Amino acid sequence: MKTNPMSPERKRLTKSFFVAWLLDRKLAKVATDEQDGPNDAVPAGAALAEPRDFSSEAPAPGQIRVLSQTETLTYAAVLARWDEWSFLIAPFSRFEDPATDEELKTAFQGGLRMDVLQIWNARTAMSATLQKSWLVGTLPEQDLDDAFLLWKWSIGDVAELPERISERTGVPIYRTDDPRLEYRREALENFAAFDAEDDANAKWAEMLGEWLHGKDKSPVNGWISVGDEERIAAASERPNEFLLYRVVGKGVLLSVERSRSSGELVLSVLDESTEKPSPALDGFFVLVDSETDPIIVQGSIARVPISSKLEGVRLVDPQGDAISLEKLS
């Protein structure tokens, strides 16, 4: 059955949005006039998240996260995982009712900006970008499925929506002078810094993928092989067991050993002539696997976590060029 884009319920929801949006604009103008300065459009009672460490839990579908890179307080739901690097997310609206046919009023009513998902504002976000956020809740599975189906409809992959979804959306925008276009523009501007950071992370992930999945994993291309790491692990009972590489053209050595206390792989940069710690590679990157952020060499040391997905360890300079290694022991 075809859905009715102008059904009484959908008209009611959009009318309710208009009332709230117009009131919000009046209050924002009053606040701006009184303060004689910019207003961040956060309504009364909506407090920004307390500054604290970002959530350590990895991004996953169904999570609700508070983003750190947006101009105003913004909650977003993780709708799907695309690959090892990226996810589909959709932000929540600031309002309790949907503005358009591409916004969904969720059955989950989180309150405080967690009532309506802006499916039209959905975007791909890199894992590294989402890691800088706070995990605050979980979207019920039915809402997650409904939101993803509405997103597929919005891009033309689904012809019709079930009524249980369409009746929780607003009415479409037909005219170029529709004031809801201004609402959408403001919402997009809120993501300017987020998108800029995410673009940079996407470029980095593309380079990282090329480095990690290159076929040639010889030391000449900067690789410390898994076999070498396994040898260190097997010899953990013997003292002073380590691998030693010469970093070609840098005048330094790279010592690699397994930490008994933490289980990490410890890479130490040593001056080739004195064998004392050297800062020559500080700022270089150590690449491990697709789910681990690049590790920066700092203070002549890099500590590499060991995981079941470890395929090798690669050293690259700040420009992304592989550093050649010559195995000495």
Side-chain angles (χ1 to χ4, degrees):
M1 182 179 72
K2 287 186 177 293
T3 59
N4 178 7
M6 302 296 284
S7 72
E9 175 60 12
R10 296 174 73 175
K11 286 182 177 180
R12 184 191 70 79
L13 290 174
T14 297
K15 181 178 179 180
S16 179
F17 159 80
F18 264 120
V19 171
W21 181 60
L22 292 173
L23 177 60
D24 181 81
R25 289 175 68 83
K26 289 180 180 179
L27 292 176
K29 186 177 186 306
V30 169
T32 300
D33 291 343
E34 290 180 352
Q35 297 170 7
D36 193 29
N39 176 55
D40 66 359
V42 177
L48 292 172
E50 289 294 325
R52 56 189 173 91
D53 292 340
F54 298 124
S55 298
S56 58
E57 188 171 343
Q63 292 178 348
I64 298 174
R65 288 179 170 261
V66 178
L67 306 179
S68 66
Q69 306 94 333
T70 51
E71 289 296 317
T72 63
L73 176 64
T74 303
Y75 295 88
V78 183
L79 300 187
R81 180 169 196 150
W82 292 142
D83 53 34
E84 57 193 3
W85 308 107
S86 60
F87 297 83
L88 175 69
I89 68 168
F92 282 89
S93 167
R94 296 192 286 116
F95 301 98
E96 296 181 357
D97 294 295
T100 77
D101 56 335
E102 294 181 356
E103 292 194 355
L104 178 69
K105 190 175 182 68
T106 57
F108 166 80
Q109 297 296 291
L112 192 64
R113 299 182 172 215
M114 284 187 285
D115 295 297
V116 173
L117 285 169
Q118 295 175 332
I119 301 303
W120 61 267
N121 203 9
R123 67 201 60 223
T124 292
M126 305 305 295
S127 177
T129 314
L130 289 178
Q131 287 284 12
K132 295 169 70 172
S133 63
W134 298 273
L135 179 61
V136 295
T138 303
L139 198 65
E141 185 175 355
Q142 187 62 65
D143 276 330
L144 183 64
D145 291 344
D146 290 350
F148 189 61
L149 185 61
L150 181 59
W151 176 80
K152 292 178 72 174
W153 172 83
S154 73
I155 64 170
D157 280 359
V158 172
E160 293 293 336
L161 291 170
E163 189 172 299
R164 63 179 173 79
I165 295 178
S166 64
E167 287 296 284
R168 289 186 284 138
T169 67
V171 300
I173 294 175
Y174 291 114
R175 298 171 48 150
T176 58
D177 60 349
D178 192 309
R180 289 174 293 172
L181 293 173
E182 176 66 14
Y183 153 76
R184 288 175 52 137
R185 183 190 63 77
E186 292 171 351
L188 289 172
E189 288 179 351
N190 183 45
F191 272 84
F194 180 96
D195 290 341
E197 181 175 321
D198 197 64
D199 286 345
N201 286 332
K203 291 177 182 177
W204 174 257
E206 184 178 358
M207 288 193 296
L208 181 57
E210 293 174 357
W211 294 329
L212 288 173
H213 300 304
K215 294 181 180 180
D216 187 354
K217 295 187 176 180
S218 63
V220 73
N221 280 319
W223 282 95
I224 300 168
S225 72
V226 173
D228 287 341
E229 189 278 320
E230 289 173 346
R231 184 187 124 198
I232 293 174
S236 60
E237 296 301 318
R238 296 198 296 272
N240 303 319
E241 179 70 18
F242 64 93
L243 299 178
L244 190 64
Y245 296 84
R246 175 179 289 113
V247 183
V248 178
K250 300 298 181 181
V252 293
L253 305 174
L254 189 66
S255 169
V256 185
E257 59 185 322
R258 185 76 172 266
S259 168
R260 293 182 183 178
S261 59
S262 66
E264 297 170 310
L265 208 58
V266 180
L267 282 62
S268 302
V269 183
L270 309 172
D271 183 275
E272 189 168 2
S273 58
T274 66
E275 295 191 1
K276 293 182 178 180
S278 169
L281 302 186
D282 282 9
F284 283 49
F285 295 101
V286 178
L287 311 181
V288 183
D289 59 48
S290 58
E291 294 186 359
T292 302
D293 289 337
I295 299 159
I296 300 177
V297 180
Q298 294 179 313
S300 77
I301 287 178
R303 296 182 178 274
V304 177
I306 302 301
S307 71
S308 59
K309 294 185 178 182
L310 182 67
E311 299 175 352
V313 177
R314 195 175 195 184
L315 184 67
V316 299
D317 67 18
Q319 288 70 47
D321 295 324
I323 301 303
S324 297
L325 302 175
E326 179 184 343
K327 190 173 181 180
L328 301 179
S329 66

